[in-house]
Structure formats: C-alpha cells, structure tokens
C-alpha cells in the first residue's frame, strides 16, 4: 500500500497545484488558520479513500474546510491533553523538588520524578498518536464529533491487526519524510521551505493509508453482519 499512497496525489493532473497549496499552508502554519485548512484537507482524503475513491480532493470550499479542520484539531487535542498535562505536572514537580531540596538527594529524587513523568507522558502520547487517526476517521465517516470518542465503534478497529499494520505503515511514511527533511535542513532555508512540501505530501500519503484501511475494515464488518458494502440497512 506504500506505493499506492505515495502515488495517490499524482492521480490528479493538477497534483502539483495541490502540493504547492498544501506546502504554502504548512509554511504559514504559525498563523493557525492554515493548520486548520491542512487538517480539513486530510479529513477529505480520509473520506474519499475510505469509499475507495482514488481521485484526491482539491482545495476548495475553504470555509467548510477550515471548520472541518477546527473540529479535527479539537478531536486530536482532546486525545493529546492528558499526556501534555502529565508531562507538564511531573516535569514542573521534578524541577521544583530539585530546586527546593537543596541537596544532592533531593535533586536525584526530583530528577527521578521528572523522568518517570516524562516516560509516562511519552507512553500516553504514543497511545494518543495511535488513537487519533481512527478517531478522525470515524468523525470523517459520520460528520459527528461524538463519533470520534465512540469506544464501541473504535475498539474493534483499534485492536485489529490490520489497523495496527496500517498505522505502522503510515508512521513509516511520516518517519521517512522527517529523515528527508532533516537532510534538507543541512541548508537551513532550503530545509524549512522544501520540508513543508515534503511533509504535506507525506501526511496525505499517511492518511490515504488510514482511510483505505478504515474503509476495508468496515466492509469486512458489514459482510460479517450479512450486509453488502455500501448497502443501506432495511427500515
């Protein structure tokens, strides 16, 4: 699926325009709104690919895309808030304890507290990173923010080997892109500018993998329940 994901954007004859827009938005991400637009675009990728559509979306209906991106950002933030809080609390407690103790022993205890807290935050952060793509996919499918936290729907997806494999594959794509960007950063300005376009391209490829897998898993579930994929249940 990696080759399909890397070629996905090129299924559109105007793919260069899409990459240019995405890269520029990445460069302007400090303004916040461009970040919402990129998230909104990635959600469009998930919606399209989960239905088996190999035609990549375009940047249009900017207002709707921004609103969608805000919702996606909020979902990701909720999943990330616990690791962030734990990292902040333990890190602060460790520093304060070390400074207030006034001894080597107190400093060691403070360092251990900070280290344990940061390790816990790392584990929870990794868990959040695993949960977020599935949560965003369920939101993208239903257009309901509550669906992003629907444990009953998410659990069988998250515990499936297929999703785990897709997540690792998507992670590998993003990790490879970060290596490319790191190499480009040898020339600071080049790395910063070109890196934004490489990162956007890789993010689209990663969410292509997630969207395709989400759609395939739901098709399997429907067939297990005796339904035909795409068929509406009888009323």
């Amino acid at each position: 699926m990696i080759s399909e994901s890397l070629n996905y954007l090129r299924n559109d004859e105007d793919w260069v325009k899409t990459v240019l827009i995405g890269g520029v938005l990445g460069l302007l991400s400090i303004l916040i709104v461009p970040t919402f637009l990129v998230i909104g675009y990635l959600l469009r990728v998930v919606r399209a690919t989960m239905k088996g559509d190999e035609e990549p979306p375009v940047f249009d209906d900017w207002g709707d895309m921004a609103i969608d991106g805000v919702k996606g950002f909020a979902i990701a933030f909720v999943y990330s808030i616990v690791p962030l809080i734990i990292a902040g609390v333990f890190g602060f407690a460790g520093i304060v304890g070390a400074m207030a103790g006034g001894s080597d022993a107190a400093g060691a205890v403070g360092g251990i507290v900070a280290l344990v807290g940061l390790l816990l935050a790392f584990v929870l952060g990794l868990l959040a990173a695993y949960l977020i793509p599935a949560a965003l996919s369920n939101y993208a499918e239903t257009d309901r923010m509550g669906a992003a936290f629907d444990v009953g729907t998410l659990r069988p997806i998250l515990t499936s080997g297929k999703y785990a494999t897709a997540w690792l594959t998507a992670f590998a794509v993003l990790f490879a892109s970060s290596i490319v960007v790191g190499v480009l950063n040898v020339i600071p300005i080049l790395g910063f500018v070109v890196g934004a376009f490489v990162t956007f391209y890789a993010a689209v490829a990663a969410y292509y993998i997630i969207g395709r897998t989400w759609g395939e898993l739901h098709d399997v579930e429907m067939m297990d329940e005796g339904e035909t994929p795409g068929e509406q249940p009888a009323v």
Side-chain angles (χ1 to χ4, degrees):
M1 191 181 289
I2 290 182
S3 61
E4 291 94 332
S5 70
L6 294 176
N7 289 319
Y8 171 64
L9 275 173
R10 288 187 280 181
N11 290 336
D12 180 8
E13 60 182 14
D14 291 330
W15 70 274
V16 174
K17 176 182 177 182
T18 299
V19 174
L20 288 175
I21 294 174
V24 170
L25 290 174
L27 290 171
L28 299 175
S29 60
I30 192 172
L31 301 177
I32 301 177
V33 173
T35 298
F36 297 151
L37 291 170
V38 171
I39 295 173
Y41 181 84
L42 294 177
L43 287 169
R44 287 187 178 183
V45 170
V46 172
R47 285 193 184 95
T49 53
M50 69 171 53
K51 298 173 183 176
D53 187 355
E54 293 293 320
E55 183 76 16
V58 297
F59 282 98
D60 60 8
D61 297 326
W62 295 85
D64 291 340
M65 187 181 292
I67 293 172
D68 210 25
V70 170
K71 293 178 180 179
F73 177 85
I75 291 168
F77 179 78
V78 170
Y79 276 100
S80 303
I81 189 65
V82 173
L84 290 173
I85 290 175
I86 289 177
V89 170
F90 274 83
F92 181 75
I95 293 172
V96 171
M99 294 177 64
S103 67
D104 292 340
V109 171
I112 291 172
V113 170
L115 179 61
V116 170
L118 291 175
L119 286 174
L120 179 59
F122 173 77
V123 172
L124 292 176
L126 194 60
L127 176 61
Y130 185 76
L131 296 172
I132 288 170
L136 291 175
S137 296
N138 207 27
Y139 160 69
E141 183 178 32
T142 63
D143 285 324
R144 294 186 298 103
M145 287 191 69
F149 309 98
D150 184 351
V151 177
T153 301
L154 294 175
R155 183 187 295 114
I157 300 292
L158 294 168
T159 55
S160 69
K162 192 176 186 68
Y163 176 79
T165 301
W167 185 86
L168 287 171
T169 304
F171 177 82
V173 170
L174 293 173
F175 183 72
S177 73
S178 70
I179 293 176
V180 172
V181 172
V183 172
L184 292 173
N185 277 331
V186 173
I187 306 175
I189 296 179
L190 177 66
F192 175 73
V193 175
V194 179
F197 298 93
V198 172
T199 300
F200 172 76
Y201 194 99
V204 172
Y207 273 90
Y208 168 91
I209 295 170
I210 297 297
R212 273 280 302 275
T213 302
W214 182 271
E216 291 171 3
L217 283 169
H218 271 211
D219 284 349
V220 170
E221 287 181 358
M222 291 171 66
M223 287 187 284
D224 287 343
E225 295 170 4
E227 299 176 16
T228 301
E231 180 182 59
Q232 295 296 324
V235 178

